Amino acid sequence: MITTDHKENRVDVTVFGEFTLADYKEFEEVVNYKIQFEGPVDLFFDLRQMNGFTVDMALEEIRFARAHAHDFSRIAILTEDQWLTWSAWLSQIFVDAEVRVFQLADDAEAWLGGAEVPVA
């Protein structure tokens, strides 16, 4: 299950439990709308409560990222999981956005707001 919240030029996503294809499609809808009417957006993913993801979701993520390679400015990922940190860095192959992983929500928020936040 996911929750989404959107602000001007930004989409926040929090994942609870397993991240499924249906959840990702919900995320895509919100992002596609924002891109259409606002241009490139920032993303904030809170993955601290995520317990895993489905294979079809992972494949859709790759497809979506490739189709929208130039539509994101900054992507902040909030997690303490080393596997998710590694996969976040790998995802930079598919998008032109700056991608950063954070352990503290305040640091992620500050960075998305334009502040210089040191890499942990």
Side-chain angles (χ1 to χ4, degrees), residues 50-119:
M50 187 174 87
N51 293 333
F53 54 88
T54 60
V55 173
D56 55 353
M57 188 286 306
L59 295 173
E60 180 66 14
E61 178 185 22
I62 293 168
R63 186 204 62 76
F64 185 76
R66 291 181 69 179
H68 294 279
H70 308 291
D71 293 330
F72 306 111
S73 300
R74 289 183 165 193
I75 302 172
I77 301 168
L78 188 59
T79 185
E80 295 177 0
D81 184 291
Q82 290 301 324
W83 169 248
L84 292 175
T85 299
W86 180 82
S87 65
W89 297 125
L90 184 61
S91 71
Q92 291 184 81
I93 294 170
F94 302 111
V95 294
D96 290 336
E98 290 182 71
V99 179
R100 296 261 315 257
V101 177
F102 297 90
Q103 292 186 357
L104 300 174
D106 289 344
D107 288 348
E109 290 284 350
W111 181 72
L112 287 172
E116 290 296 321
V117 177
V119 178

